[in-house]
Amino acid sequence: MHNLSFVVIFLLVFTIKGFAQVPEDPDPVTDGCTGYEGARGRKFVEFFLTLDNFSTERVLVGASNVSISEIAPVSEEAACVRLSSIISNNAKYQTVDQSISNDETKYYYQTNDFYYIFWAWKPENDNRIRFGPKRLFIVVSGDFENVWEFYK
């Protein structure tokens, strides 16, 4: 019976690890705001734009028809400054930003009409499984006038 328990636990751990992996980005491009862009970061925005469990949020912000082909890291300095200002002028966002580990970073992505800010593993840690509470995911309108926060 003890051997069966060991085998079940062994299979469970490797099954979870296999499902949690995101393909590595063979040639990552860095964004102008954080210097990071990885496959997992891009996937977070793609999930927001495509998964059914975010459909209510997409309707709320007006992003129902945004194509994943529009996803790109933010590279314009002016946009980086405005987005950083949103973080620094909100106590909750500052707390999240200051509490991340050295293995994590803040990501800035954009589509034609929206910006996305979130915290996740740095690309070199993409293969790590993360357990714990849901993480803050911020959507900002292209004119920087509206900010929505969600938890993923």
Side-chain angles (χ1 to χ4, degrees):
M1 187 65 152
H2 178 67
N3 288 339
L4 180 60
S5 297
F6 176 76
V7 170
V8 169
I9 291 171
F10 179 80
L11 290 173
L12 181 63
V13 167
F14 282 98
T15 302
I16 290 172
K17 184 174 180 172
F19 285 123
Q21 290 183 347
V22 175
E24 290 184 29
D25 191 349
D27 187 25
V29 177
T30 58
D31 72 41
C33 296
T34 62
Y36 291 102
E37 190 223 339
R40 182 174 289 192
R42 183 179 225 66
K43 281 288 182 192
F44 284 154
V45 179
E46 188 175 319
F47 291 160
F48 177 77
L49 295 175
T50 61
L51 292 182
D52 288 341
N53 59 332
F54 283 111
S55 62
T56 303
E57 290 86 349
R58 282 192 303 274
V59 169
L60 177 68
V61 304
S64 296
N65 296 319
V66 175
S67 169
I68 62 170
S69 66
E70 297 176 26
I71 300 170
V74 175
S75 58
E76 294 179 20
E77 185 63 30
C80 293
V81 169
R82 296 282 300 267
L83 294 169
S84 294
S85 159
I86 289 170
I87 300 302
S88 64
N89 290 324
N90 182 298
K92 183 191 319 183
Y93 302 163
Q94 278 184 5
T95 301
V96 171
D97 198 38
Q98 294 168 0
S99 67
I100 65 171
S101 74
N102 290 335
D103 296 332
E104 300 171 294
T105 191
K106 178 174 41 201
Y107 288 87
Y108 297 90
Y109 279 84
Q110 67 184 40
T111 53
N112 293 343
D113 297 318
F114 298 97
Y115 294 97
Y116 310 88
I117 308 168
F118 54 93
W119 293 260
W121 292 122
K122 291 178 181 175
E124 61 266 25
N125 297 313
D126 269 355
N127 63 344
R128 292 176 60 184
I129 298 172
R130 185 191 173 282
F131 295 102
K134 294 183 177 189
R135 303 299 291 270
L136 181 61
F137 186 88
I138 301 169
V139 179
V140 180
S141 61
D143 62 4
F144 303 98
E145 294 297 317
N146 299 295
V147 177
W148 300 272
E149 62 182 60
F150 306 108
Y151 292 86
K152 59 173 180 57

